[in-house]
Amino acid sequence: MTLMIRTKLPKVGTTIFSVMSQLAAEHGAVNLGQGFPDFDVPRRLVDGLAEAMRAGHNQYAPMTGIPALREAIAEKTMRVYGHLPDADAEVTVTSGATEALFNAIHAVVRAGEEVIVFDPAYDSYEPAIELAGAVAVHVPLDPRSFAVDWDRVRDAVTPRTRMLIVNSPHNPSGAMFGADDIAALAELLRGTDIVLLSDEVYEHIVFDGARHESILRHPELRERAFVVSSFGKTYHCTGWKLGYCIAPPALSAEFRKVHQYNVFCTFAPAQHAFAAMLREAPEHYEQLGAFYQAKRDAFAAQLATTRLDPLPVPGGYFQLVDYAAVSDLDDAAFCRWLTIEKGVAAIPLSPFYAQPPAGQRLARLCFAKNTATLDAAIARLQAL
């Protein structure tokens, strides 16, 4: 007898990031697809991790995170955003931002409810929504600027809307919320019971003197919000899988119920290392925008020597390119061709959409790479 399995996620296959990275490895391509740095973690953080392991911090951490790290996160939040969360009641350390996003959705979203997401959207949102028995309602962003049409968002709200997910700086485009977006968001949510989930993993990678409009800066919004951050993105160590969520006490209590029976706790020695890093080296996150802006500008100048047309990048470490001058292939086919035939791996945008815009010819390249990696990619792209 063959066991019949009825999948709970019929639309989900292997993530596009894994697919393209595997394809890059098979064909010896320069991998500008998956969003991970190929340069070193800060040395003092590595030393701190080793010291923590030698000091015996190798067993379960407290469920919410070690006190020293939660306190350091609260202090850093005050330093950067002018808000001091309660380290005990409002800060929870998680196994990466993806776990935090999953926990937040499952903490408050029930079967039959709706969650509004902006397309293109990071691919972990909708599966978590569907596993909660809820429905993702997709509101498209502008296909070139990736700005939000707040009238379309307002039209998408129904009595079943339970949550709205925002992401600034935005993956994949790098678009960022401005003060007008924050005002529109506050007006939209005022007087409702809609919970806000703010994905802010690229919070410190902002350019050209812009200010990251964290939801934590805005009292009216943070009172209804889960705000998710990533140590992996900020400290070049995505493989450590450590992040955190800040939310008001009532939301944090529900969030922790899911976290407790999801992973319970996370990588203990790294928590000690990050606690020391946050307190002793704030210059790392303070200078991160300038560090990546230099990479962005150099990469954009190099792309100008190719037939790819780079779009503006206000934040984050991804560069969208328009490849219409090179090919009429759809984005998935183009990225496969680029990887196999030209030796550069990119990520198509269509997997970030429920319904991709007709005729869109955009691909995502990651510039969180060593200069040698980017130079090698450009040399191949110049042959297009």
Side-chain angles (χ1 to χ4, degrees):
M1 176 180 173
T2 302
L3 183 65
M4 299 299 293
I5 303 296
R6 202 170 138 209
T7 179
K8 295 177 70 176
L9 293 171
K11 293 185 288 184
V12 172
T14 303
T15 172
I16 188 64
F17 310 110
S18 297
V19 169
M20 296 310 299
S21 287
Q22 179 64 32
L23 199 65
E26 290 172 359
H27 294 275
V30 180
N31 189 356
L32 302 189
Q34 195 166 358
F36 57 82
D38 69 348
F39 41 81
D40 289 339
V41 175
R43 182 53 188 263
R44 69 186 300 153
L45 192 58
V46 174
D47 291 343
L49 178 65
E51 290 168 9
M53 290 189 287
R54 284 194 295 266
H57 299 299
N58 300 302
Q59 309 309 322
Y60 295 127
M63 184 267 287
T64 59
I66 67 167
L69 179 55
R70 287 185 284 106
E71 290 162 6
I73 290 169
E75 292 164 5
K76 177 246 185 177
T77 303
M78 180 64 187
R79 178 188 180 109
V80 177
Y81 302 128
H83 168 58
L84 183 65
D86 185 318
D88 292 328
E90 298 183 305
V91 180
T92 309
V93 179
T94 62
S95 292
T98 304
E99 190 230 331
L101 295 166
F102 185 93
N103 292 348
I105 291 165
H106 282 261
V108 298
V109 175
R110 292 173 171 79
E113 295 182 327
E114 295 173 349
V115 179
I116 295 175
V117 299
F118 297 156
D119 274 9
Y122 183 58
D123 68 346
S124 80
Y125 300 162
E126 186 163 13
I129 294 164
E130 291 182 342
L131 285 173
V135 176
V137 176
H138 296 266
V139 176
L141 301 173
D142 183 277
R144 292 295 292 186
S145 69
F146 300 93
V148 180
D149 182 336
W150 291 103
D151 289 334
R152 294 189 72 166
V153 181
R154 190 173 295 105
D155 291 343
V157 174
T158 75
R160 294 183 299 279
T161 304
R162 180 57 173 153
M163 175 179 278
L164 172 64
I165 302 179
V166 298
N167 173 210
S168 177
H170 180 246
N171 178 14
S173 74
M176 291 174 55
F177 277 2
D180 290 347
D181 293 299
I182 295 297
L185 179 59
E187 180 184 0
L188 177 74
L189 298 180
R190 194 171 293 133
T192 75
D193 291 325
I194 298 171
V195 177
L196 182 62
L197 173 52
S198 186
D199 178 352
E200 301 187 15
V201 300
Y202 302 101
E203 61 187 312
H204 298 298
I205 309 176
V206 299
F207 308 132
D208 305 315
R211 185 177 92 154
H212 169 52
E213 292 295 342
S214 174
I215 297 304
L216 294 168
R217 294 185 188 275
H218 304 282
E220 181 181 2
L221 290 173
R222 70 179 180 242
E223 286 306 309
R224 64 167 74 235
F226 299 101
V227 179
V228 173
S229 294
S230 166
F231 286 117
K233 298 296 192 298
T234 298
Y235 291 97
H236 322 317
C237 54
T238 59
W240 291 19
K241 292 298 292 179
L242 210 69
Y244 59 92
C245 178
I246 298 176
L251 289 180
S252 285
E254 297 306 309
F255 179 95
R256 290 169 175 182
K257 290 176 184 178
V258 180
H259 170 70
Q260 179 172 243
Y261 292 106
N262 185 356
V263 300
F264 179 73
C265 65
T266 191
F267 191 18
Q271 294 194 45
H272 290 268
F274 281 122
M277 188 79 182
L278 282 174
R279 284 182 162 141
E280 297 169 10
E283 65 274 8
H284 176 88
Y285 60 76
E286 291 172 342
Q287 296 169 7
L288 197 63
F291 170 80
Y292 275 116
Q293 183 167 331
K295 287 187 173 292
R296 177 201 67 169
D297 293 348
F299 189 50
Q302 289 179 307
L303 285 169
T305 68
T306 76
R307 296 172 66 200
L308 300 174
D309 181 20
L311 274 62
V313 183
Y317 55 47
F318 299 113
Q319 173 70 67
L320 293 187
V321 292
D322 188 320
Y323 64 85
V326 177
S327 174
D328 289 328
L329 292 171
D330 66 57
D331 62 349
F334 174 78
C335 288
R336 284 188 60 85
W337 171 82
L338 188 68
T339 303
I340 296 169
E341 300 297 334
K342 299 302 179 181
V344 178
I347 295 292
L349 251 63
S350 54
F352 293 80
Y353 285 93
Q355 293 183 319
Q360 189 180 69
R361 297 289 182 264
L362 297 178
R364 192 194 80 174
L365 302 172
C366 177
F367 58 83
K369 306 295 179 182
N370 277 309
T371 299
T373 303
L374 298 175
D375 287 349
I378 289 294
R380 299 180 183 192
L381 294 174
Q382 286 171 334
L384 292 176

